[in-house]
Amino acid sequence: MADASYSPTTNPMLTGIKGLCPRCQKGSLFAGYLKLAPRCEVCDLDYSFADPADGPAFFAMTIAAVPALAFGIWFQTSFGLPLWVHGLTTLPLTIFSCIALLRPLKGWLVCSQFFHKAHEGLIDLEWHADAARRAAKAEDA
């Protein structure tokens, strides 16, 4: 299908948080809670370009840790409860906060990769060869 018939996202964050295809903004990015679909069911965009790696987990842990820690400190100083109570309150709060953030963050990162045309880095061997020739030429002069 032609790319011109679709309106690609101009806001990868919003499109990704909604879990929509970055090219048509109609199909779903996900085949499960966190598993990316192989392709969009509407515009047939192949999602194999996407590799958010550990990014969603890192951001989820970073975002959830500060409020969970603040809650844990407040809870401890206000009530002076034993440590095992935090295992029943603060720990589940942290885990569920991270899990809730994973899908929207993964969607955002995938849509951002599409929007910014991200791809795996390559070593430009021709550039390096030209640079070596220029350096050798400069030494001879």
Side-chain angles (χ1 to χ4, degrees), residues 127 129-139:
W127 183 89
D130 289 341
R133 281 193 289 276
R134 285 190 303 272
K137 194 177 197 181
E139 286 179 9

Side-chain angles (χ1 to χ4, degrees), residues 55-106:
F58 171 78
F59 287 121
M61 289 184 298
T62 303
I63 292 167
V66 173
L69 179 64
F71 170 77
I73 290 171
W74 169 81
F75 201 54
Q76 183 63 36
T77 57
S78 295
F79 302 105
L81 299 170
L83 190 58
W84 64 266
V85 175
H86 289 286
L88 298 176
T89 57
T90 309
L91 184 62
L93 173 70
T94 307
I95 292 170
F96 291 128
S97 297
C98 288
I99 290 171
L101 289 170
L102 281 175
R103 183 179 167 118
L105 288 170
K106 187 171 187 173

Side-chain angles (χ1 to χ4, degrees), residues 27-129:
S28 177
L29 271 176
F30 298 100
Y33 183 69
L34 287 176
K35 183 178 184 200
L36 281 179
R39 59 182 61 263
C40 176
E41 68 272 8
V42 176
C43 70
D44 207 35
L45 174 65
D46 183 6
Y47 295 143
S48 64
F49 69 88
D51 183 20
D54 293 334
F58 171 78
F59 287 121
M61 289 184 298
T62 303
I63 292 167
V66 173
L69 179 64
F71 170 77
I73 290 171
W74 169 81
F75 201 54
Q76 183 63 36
T77 57
S78 295
F79 302 105
L81 299 170
L83 190 58
W84 64 266
V85 175
H86 289 286
L88 298 176
T89 57
T90 309
L91 184 62
L93 173 70
T94 307
I95 292 170
F96 291 128
S97 297
C98 288
I99 290 171
L101 289 170
L102 281 175
R103 183 179 167 118
L105 288 170
K106 187 171 187 173
W108 170 36
L109 291 175
V110 169
C111 286
S112 292
Q113 287 177 338
F114 177 83
F115 181 78
H116 295 290
K117 298 172 180 59
H119 62 285
E120 186 174 340
L122 300 172
I123 296 175
D124 190 348
L125 297 176
E126 283 184 37
W127 183 89
H128 286 285

